[in-house]
Amino acid sequence: MEELYTLEKEVGRGSYGVVFQGHMAKTGQRVAIKRLPCSNPECIELYLQELWAMRATAKNHVNVIALHSCLVQTGPRSLKPLKPGNLPVRLVESVLKGSVVRTPESQERNDAQSNSQRRSNSVSRLQDRTNTVQARAKPQDKSKSNASDSTTPQRPQNRVRKRPAEREEEQPGPLRCLALWLVMEYCDGGDLNQYLLSRPPEAQRNHSVVRQLCSAVAFLHSLGITHRDLKPDNVLVCVTPKGPVVKVADFGLSKMSEGLVDGDLTRQHFSSTCGSDFYMAPEVWGGLTYTAQADIFSLGVLFWAVLERITFLEEGTTQEQLGAYVCKGRSGWLMPLGEALWENADLQLCIPMKFKRAPPLPPPPGPAMCALLLDMLASNPECAPLSKRTPTDTKCA
C-alpha cells in the first residue's frame, strides 16, 4: 500500500467498511480510500455492485464520485491493483456459492481446525454430564440514553434496512481476497448534511445543489443505473471558489440494467425493500415491485429538505439531518413521507412546510418549485409517469 498510497487518518466508518483520507505516493494527490472487508458473501455482493457501478460511471460526470483504482488485499500486507474490467474470481465464486471461497491450503487448515474443535466439543459434553452445578450468566443492565434537549424534531433510528450487518472479524486461515480497497476522489466539504447545516441558508447555493443532483441522477439513469439509496449522507461535497460541487456516492445498493427499452428505465423492476426510510418511495415501503422512479421520489424528499432546511434528529443523537416528514398524532411522531403516502395515498403534502423548518429560515420555494416537488413526490408511480417524476424538469432551475 505504501508504494502506491499513504493512509493519513480515518474520516468515516459505516456498517460495511472504513474510509481513510490519504494521498497518492507519486503525485501527492489527496484521495479517499475505502476498505471493504470480504468476510461474508452478502457483503461481497454489495461491494461488487458498488465497484461495477463506479466503473460504469468512470470519471465521466462531475457530480458522480470518481473511482481512481481498486486494490485487492490478498494478505496482511499484500495488495495488488485490480485491472479495469476484471472482477476477483474468488469473490464472484463466494457470491454464487453463498460462502467465502478459500484457497486449498486455507481449506485444509480450516478442516484441521474443525476436527480439533469437534474433539474439544466432545470432551466438553463429557464433562458436562458429570457436572451438577452450572454457572449462569448475570443479565447485563441496559442503560437508556437521555433524550436530546434540542427543539429539532426527533425520530427513532431507521427501521427498514436491507443491508446485512457487517462482521468485522476475519475468517480463520488466509483468504485469497481479504478486502477490497476503493481509491476515490476526496471531497473536503463532507456530506450534504455537514456542508449545508454548517452554513446559513442561501437560495442560490440551494438551487445549485438541486441542479447538480438533477444532472447526476439523470446521468446515472441514462447508463441504466438505479441508485436506490439517495440521501444526504450519500452526497459528498467538494468546496471550490465558485461554490460547492456535489458528488453522488455509495453505490452498494445500486442496480444496473443490462439494456434500456427505448431509453425507458421504468421497464426494469426491482423487488428488494432497501434504502433509508426517510427517503424510500411509497411503493418500496409497501413491498411492491418498483422502478427507477423510486430514485426520483428520494430526490424529491432530498430537494424539499434542502430548499426549506427541514431537519430531524435520530434517536440517541444530537446531530441534525436533512429530511422531510409527516407529523402524526398529538405527540408529533415523525413519519417518513413514503410510509405516510403508502398508508394514505390521498394525503395532501403541505409545501412549503412553513413552521417545521429549522432556523434560520430560508425563503420558501416558489410556485413552480412546489409544483415540481409534488410531481416528484406523487404517491402512485403509475399515476405519475417518468415525464413528471423526473429530475431533469426545467422548473428546477
Side-chain angles (χ1 to χ4, degrees), residues 25-227:
K26 290 184 178 181
T27 65
Q29 179 183 352
R30 187 180 294 182
V31 291
I33 305 176
K34 181 190 291 188
R35 182 183 187 273
L36 302 170
C38 300
S39 55
N40 63 70
E42 292 82 6
C43 292
I44 292 173
E45 182 177 7
L46 296 179
Y47 303 160
L48 295 182
Q49 286 179 179
E50 180 168 13
L51 175 59
W52 197 253
M54 293 190 72
R55 279 178 166 175
T57 60
K59 302 176 183 179
N60 295 326
H61 199 285
V62 67
N63 299 124
V64 178
I65 199 76
L67 176 70
H68 293 307
S69 63
C70 177
L71 305 174
V72 179
Q73 183 177 355
T74 57
R77 296 182 62 83
S78 175
L79 292 97
K80 62 178 182 180
L82 187 62
K83 295 181 180 180
N86 290 349
L87 290 178
V89 176
R90 294 279 176 182
L91 297 187
V92 176
E93 285 185 277
S94 297
V95 174
L96 294 176
K97 295 182 177 180
S99 61
V100 177
V101 176
R102 298 176 173 82
T103 63
E105 294 81 3
S106 67
Q107 188 63 47
E108 291 178 1
R109 293 188 183 185
N110 289 332
D111 291 342
Q113 290 177 355
S114 297
N115 292 334
S116 176
Q117 184 65 37
R118 282 195 293 269
R119 288 194 296 270
S120 176
N121 291 341
S122 298
V123 173
S124 298
R125 286 195 295 269
L126 182 60
Q127 291 175 343
D128 288 341
R129 294 193 186 100
T130 62
N131 291 339
T132 56
V133 179
Q134 296 182 354
R136 296 174 181 261
K138 296 181 179 180
Q140 297 180 350
D141 294 332
K142 296 183 179 180
S143 58
K144 297 182 179 179
S145 58
N146 294 328
S148 172
D149 294 331
S150 173
T151 57
T152 305
Q154 297 189 35
R155 160 74 175 176
Q157 294 179 348
N158 292 352
R159 295 169 291 162
V160 179
R161 297 289 188 189
K162 180 64 177 178
R163 297 186 173 197
E166 174 63 59
R167 295 182 298 185
E168 288 293 341
E169 69 274 8
E170 293 182 350
Q171 301 288 341
L175 303 183
R176 179 63 62 88
C177 299
L178 290 176
L180 287 179
W181 295 73
L182 303 182
V183 183
M184 305 167 290
E185 63 178 316
Y186 181 78
C187 298
D188 55 356
D191 64 36
L192 198 60
N193 281 316
Q194 298 165 341
Y195 180 80
L196 289 182
L197 296 181
S198 64
R199 292 164 171 78
E202 181 183 310
Q204 183 177 357
R205 181 194 300 125
N206 291 344
H207 282 81
S208 173
V209 168
V210 167
R211 285 194 297 269
Q212 292 180 63
L213 289 173
C214 284
S215 181
V217 173
F219 171 72
L220 294 175
H221 285 187
S222 72
L223 296 179
I225 298 174
T226 305
H227 190 281

Side-chain angles (χ1 to χ4, degrees), residues 148-381:
S148 172
D149 294 331
S150 173
T151 57
T152 305
Q154 297 189 35
R155 160 74 175 176
Q157 294 179 348
N158 292 352
R159 295 169 291 162
V160 179
R161 297 289 188 189
K162 180 64 177 178
R163 297 186 173 197
E166 174 63 59
R167 295 182 298 185
E168 288 293 341
E169 69 274 8
E170 293 182 350
Q171 301 288 341
L175 303 183
R176 179 63 62 88
C177 299
L178 290 176
L180 287 179
W181 295 73
L182 303 182
V183 183
M184 305 167 290
E185 63 178 316
Y186 181 78
C187 298
D188 55 356
D191 64 36
L192 198 60
N193 281 316
Q194 298 165 341
Y195 180 80
L196 289 182
L197 296 181
S198 64
R199 292 164 171 78
E202 181 183 310
Q204 183 177 357
R205 181 194 300 125
N206 291 344
H207 282 81
S208 173
V209 168
V210 167
R211 285 194 297 269
Q212 292 180 63
L213 289 173
C214 284
S215 181
V217 173
F219 171 72
L220 294 175
H221 285 187
S222 72
L223 296 179
I225 298 174
T226 305
H227 190 281
R228 304 204 302 174
D229 196 19
L230 291 171
K231 60 181 179 178
D233 291 346
N234 291 339
V235 178
L236 304 180
V237 182
C238 290
V239 181
T240 73
K242 295 183 178 181
V245 178
V246 301
K247 310 272 186 177
V248 174
D250 197 341
F251 292 87
L253 292 180
S254 66
K255 285 292 185 181
M256 293 186 63
S257 303
E258 294 182 0
L260 303 183
V261 180
D262 297 327
D264 188 1
L265 196 59
T266 63
R267 302 291 183 90
Q268 179 71 33
H269 285 74
F270 310 104
S271 58
S272 300
T273 302
C274 63
S276 300
D277 56 2
F278 267 85
Y279 302 89
M280 285 165 49
E283 58 268 29
V284 182
W285 270 102
L288 305 178
T289 58
Y290 58 94
T291 68
Q293 289 188 358
D295 274 356
I296 308 307
F297 185 93
S298 302
L299 203 60
V301 178
L302 183 54
F303 286 178
W304 194 4
V306 167
L307 294 172
E308 290 204 74
R309 202 182 180 93
I310 306 168
T311 64
F312 66 95
L313 293 177
E314 291 283 2
E315 185 180 24
T317 70
T318 58
Q319 184 177 359
E320 287 183 305
Q321 299 182 50
L322 291 165
Y325 49 83
V326 171
C327 286
K328 296 288 288 185
R330 296 180 179 178
S331 60
W333 170 259
L334 305 187
M335 177 178 284
L337 292 182
E339 183 182 13
L341 289 169
W342 170 251
E343 292 186 356
N344 179 14
D346 296 325
L347 178 68
Q348 298 297 314
L349 300 180
C350 297
I351 303 175
M353 193 172 272
K354 298 179 180 178
F355 300 109
K356 297 182 178 65
R357 296 183 290 166
L361 298 180
M369 178 58 75
C370 291
L372 174 61
L373 290 176
L374 288 173
D375 280 345
M376 298 175 73
L377 299 173
S379 60
N380 187 348

